Amino acid sequence: MTQQPSPDFSAWRETRYANHGFRSHLITEAELRRNVAIYYGMISFVDAGIGRILAALDRLGIADDTIVVFTTDHGHFLGQHGLIAKGAFHYEDLIRIPMIVRAAGVPAGLRVAGLQSLVDLAPTFLSAAGLDVPLWMQGVDQRPVWTGATESVRDHVFVENRHQPTRVHLRTYVEERYKITIHRDQPYGELFDLADDPGEHRNRFDDPAYASVRAGLMERLVNAEVARERSPYPRIADA
């Protein structure tokens, strides 16, 4: 529908608020080239600004006492999968975001492949500051990965969208190789094999050859949902 001139997305709209990306994504080559040029210009502008911040930390002598993380909330489509900007479309182009760290103990030039999540930032910062991490936080301390002590502290991450009460409510479970997206109350979904299909062109959700993979992912997704809801209160009685 995103490739139609005037698509009707009213079935996915329960409130007066629109859904990001639920519109026509048709664009001319000239417009796309302009968008790409502007986007690269914005990246250059941000890069220069971050350089000023890092230089100021060095000049003030507080770089070793400061953790700097460059990241964002989501990626941006520039024609990938026929899409522009953003929306509730969990392709890697949107959910694989920058994660660059400069801090004491983090080796310069170190590259890690371990899964990271934005919910990990708060627990990591608190731990680095020597503070207790509240039990209700669902993230994990990523410092062992950032410092190179281990390759990963996660075997999965969650990505979520909920633009409407029920109609645009989806959740994606991502592992190193596979990812599966579930849409609330719907029989359809997405399953991609990132090793066999890194460009995400073949949805294996209903592929009989991936039935066992889908079943395993669903089981691990449900278990991960249960595991992440930790009780913030200690048990104080047998009853």
Side-chain angles (χ1 to χ4, degrees), residues 154-168:
R154 276 186 169 278
D155 60 10
H156 72 276
V157 295
F158 276 112
V159 182
E160 305 175 56
N161 270 88
R162 190 171 186 178
H163 285 166
Q164 301 291 337
T166 64
R167 295 297 289 137
V168 184

Side-chain angles (χ1 to χ4, degrees), residues 134-173:
L135 287 176
W136 49 263
M137 284 190 173
Q138 297 175 356
V140 296
D141 183 359
Q142 288 281 358
R143 285 188 304 153
V145 178
W146 293 358
T147 59
T150 186
E151 292 185 0
S152 181
V153 292
R154 276 186 169 278
D155 60 10
H156 72 276
V157 295
F158 276 112
V159 182
E160 305 175 56
N161 270 88
R162 190 171 186 178
H163 285 166
Q164 301 291 337
T166 64
R167 295 297 289 137
V168 184
H169 187 184
L170 57 152
R171 189 158 299 171
T172 297
Y173 173 87

Side-chain angles (χ1 to χ4, degrees), residues 33 91 102 107 132 144 160 197 216 222:
R33 288 179 176 274
Y91 292 112
R102 191 185 85 161
D132 293 334
E160 305 175 56
D197 178 29
V222 172

Side-chain angles (χ1 to χ4, degrees), residues 79-156:
Q80 300 93 335
H81 301 281
L83 300 171
I84 300 297
K86 63 181 181 180
F89 319 114
H90 291 177
Y91 292 112
E92 291 294 281
D93 310 276
L94 195 72
I95 70 174
R96 184 177 288 272
I97 60 176
M99 177 67 73
I100 305 174
V101 179
R102 191 185 85 161
V106 177
L110 174 68
R111 297 175 64 91
V112 298
L115 293 170
Q116 309 270 322
S117 175
L118 293 178
V119 298
D120 296 336
L121 292 179
T124 303
F125 294 158
L126 290 171
S127 180
L131 301 175
D132 293 334
V133 178
L135 287 176
W136 49 263
M137 284 190 173
Q138 297 175 356
V140 296
D141 183 359
Q142 288 281 358
R143 285 188 304 153
V145 178
W146 293 358
T147 59
T150 186
E151 292 185 0
S152 181
V153 292
R154 276 186 169 278
D155 60 10
H156 72 276

Side-chain angles (χ1 to χ4, degrees), residues 65-77:
D65 297 319
T66 306
I67 299 176
V68 178
V69 177
F70 176 79
T71 187
T72 183
D73 56 342
H74 56 76
H76 192 86
F77 291 114

Side-chain angles (χ1 to χ4, degrees), residues 52-64 66-68 102:
R52 293 176 59 190
I53 293 173
L54 297 181
L57 294 175
D58 291 335
R59 185 175 66 254
L60 296 171
I62 57 175
D64 289 341
T66 306
I67 299 176
V68 178
R102 191 185 85 161

